[in-house]
Amino acid sequence: VQLQASGGGLVQAGGSLRLSCAASGRTFSSSAMGWFRQAPGMERELVAVISWSSAHTDYGNSVKGRFTISRDNAKNALYLQMNSLRPEDTAVYYCAADRGGYHMTASASQYHYDYWGQGTLVTVSS
């Protein structure tokens, strides 16, 4: 089972990036999935999570209104559209998925998630 995050890079403040997470080895169509990030010297924190049906999403306070999470179950893929990027968004971004179960909501706690990608680095310059 593998989650492969991609799309990170260097962008100027105010710019946009789109992260992708490709899943392989099993289907995650019944799983909650999410993005978390970790900046140097900081704890890993919630960016956004999404339920299996996309009906429920939740965002970290610092990204609300700027980032949008989405998924395509047919492609076994997860996305994060990041707009109006700020230097404080600089971090390694990780995608994650739980074991599934068609739960109505997606947990905002990183400890709920069982599968993790390797991370992709986003650097926002001022």
Side-chain angles (χ1 to χ4, degrees):
V1 177
Q2 186 175 20
L3 296 175
Q4 182 73 39
S6 62
L10 175 63
V11 64
Q12 288 189 329
S16 298
L17 280 176
R18 179 178 167 87
L19 304 185
S20 298
C21 177
S24 61
R26 59 162 282 176
T27 178
F28 288 101
S29 58
S30 72
S31 297
M33 300 185 75
W35 292 96
F36 295 82
R37 68 186 182 186
Q38 187 167 22
M42 305 291 285
E43 296 289 321
R44 190 158 57 185
E45 65 175 2
L46 167 72
V47 177
V49 292
I50 187 168
S51 63
W52 71 273
S53 66
S54 301
H56 174 254
T57 57
D58 196 7
Y59 294 87
N61 288 333
S62 63
V63 308
K64 285 180 180 177
R66 300 187 297 123
F67 292 10
T68 302
I69 190 171
S70 62
R71 65 189 295 166
D72 185 336
N73 287 342
K75 295 182 178 179
N76 221 18
L78 177 72
Y79 307 101
L80 183 70
Q81 178 65 42
M82 305 187 294
N83 298 329
S84 302
L85 282 160
R86 305 167 180 168
E88 53 264 39
D89 294 318
T90 295
V92 177
Y93 284 70
Y94 298 92
C95 58
D98 71 13
R99 293 183 183 274
Y102 298 106
H103 300 294
M104 295 293 289
T105 60
S107 173
S109 170
Q110 60 177 301
Y111 301 106
H112 171 81
Y113 294 87
D114 306 289
Y115 303 100
W116 290 85
Q118 86 292 352
T120 185
L121 176 63
V122 173
T123 303
V124 184
S125 63
S126 58

